[in-house]
Structures are given as structure tokens and as C-alpha cells.
């Protein structure tokens, strides 16, 4: 699977987002080590603090299935006018399970995407230093 196909899975997932308040749907797709894909969507709540982002939904579902590392991550924000990057909490969670060189692509459409890595999104990750 290439990164564009993974992004397309994130875009498809976004259609299942629960975003009645913001009207801002997000889909995420994670490529797992065995080639499987885990998707996630944002799930809003009228108490915004209880909202969960698409990236974390995908990570938590993958972890529940027994996965502890990822090969690539794609995030689609079809309701935005520009590429919207993962929030700080999602960057922290992604760095817990994905090595710094893990590819990340995000955007509102494939033609308007940003391609980066987990390490570039979260450059000063002390977590892996603590684990030594």
C-alpha cells in the first residue's frame, strides 16, 4: 500500500466522523506492520473536553487489537480549506507508538497535502530517552 492509498482510506473514514457541533470532519488511517489498516474518526461531544480526535481514535483501536507500532499515518480534513496538522495531544500519542521516521501525510485533499514524519511533527520527544 502506498501513502496515497492510505490517505484515501483516511478520507473515506472522515465521512463517518461525528461532528455535529464543529461540522469539521477528520479521518485518520494507520498502516500497521502487517499491512492492515486501522481507521479512526473524530467523535465530538457537547462537552468539548470529551471529544476524541481521529488520530487517537485510530491509535487506540489499533492498540486494542494488539498493535504497538505503525508504519505510516494519514489524516484527512475534507472540511478545511488547507492542510490541518494533528493537535499537540495527538502528536504526543503518535510519538508513543510510531518511530520518528514514520511517514505522516495530512491535508484537505491529496493535491493539497503535507508530507512529513512523526519526528518532524514532534521534534523534541524525550519519551524514547526516558525508556533507555
Amino acid at each position: 500500500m502506498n501513502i496515497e492509498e492510505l490517505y484515501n482510506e483516511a478520507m473515506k473514514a472522515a465521512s463517518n466522523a461525528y461532528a455535529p457541533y464543529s461540522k469539521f470532519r477528520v479521518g485518520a488511517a494507520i498502516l500497521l506492520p502487517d499491512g492492515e489498516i486501522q481507521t479512526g474518526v473524530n467523535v465530538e461531544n457537547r462537552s468539548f473536553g470529551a471529544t476524541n480526535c481521529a488520530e487517537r481514535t485510530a491509535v487506540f483501536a489499533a492498540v486494542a487489537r494488539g498493535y504497538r507500532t505503525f508504519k505510516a499515518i494519514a489524516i484527512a480534513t475534507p472540511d478545511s480549506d488547507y492542510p490541518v496538522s494533528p493537535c499537540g495531544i495527538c502528536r504526543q500519542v503518535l510519538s508513543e507508538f510510531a518511530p520518528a521516521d514514520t511517514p505522516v501525510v495530512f491535508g484537505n485533499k491529496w493535491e493539497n497535502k503535507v508530507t512529513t514524519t512523526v519526528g518532524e511533527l514532534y521534534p523534541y520527544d524525550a519519551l524514547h530517552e526516558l525508556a533507555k
Side-chain angles (χ1 to χ4, degrees):
M1 162 153 307
N2 68 38
I3 197 79
E4 184 174 3
E5 292 169 325
L6 189 66
Y7 176 82
N8 289 337
E9 292 298 316
M11 186 63 81
K12 281 193 267 184
S15 67
N16 292 323
Y18 180 73
Y21 307 105
S22 71
K23 310 289 190 246
F24 188 80
R25 298 168 300 154
V26 182
I30 297 173
L31 181 60
L32 303 169
D34 60 6
E36 292 282 324
I37 296 171
Q38 178 64 60
T39 61
V41 299
N42 58 318
V43 180
E44 292 182 351
N45 188 278
R46 62 185 166 265
S47 172
F48 282 127
T51 293
N52 201 55
C53 299
E55 300 92 325
R56 286 182 287 137
T57 300
V59 168
F60 299 159
V63 170
R65 293 174 57 197
Y67 293 94
R68 298 292 186 266
T69 189
F70 311 131
K71 291 177 67 175
I73 301 153
I75 302 134
T77 55
D79 301 320
S80 65
D81 294 330
Y82 57 89
V84 176
S85 67
C87 74
I89 294 170
C90 287
R91 292 174 192 218
Q92 175 76 43
V93 170
L94 291 171
S95 77
E96 180 83 19
F97 297 100
D101 63 348
T102 303
V104 177
V105 62
F106 60 89
N108 59 324
K109 55 187 170 187
W110 180 251
E111 299 77 20
N112 192 29
K113 68 185 175 311
V114 173
T115 303
T116 187
T117 65
V118 169
E120 290 171 335
L121 284 175
Y122 199 69
Y124 299 104
D125 178 11
L127 170 73
H128 296 100
E129 297 297 318
L130 294 172
K132 291 180 181 177

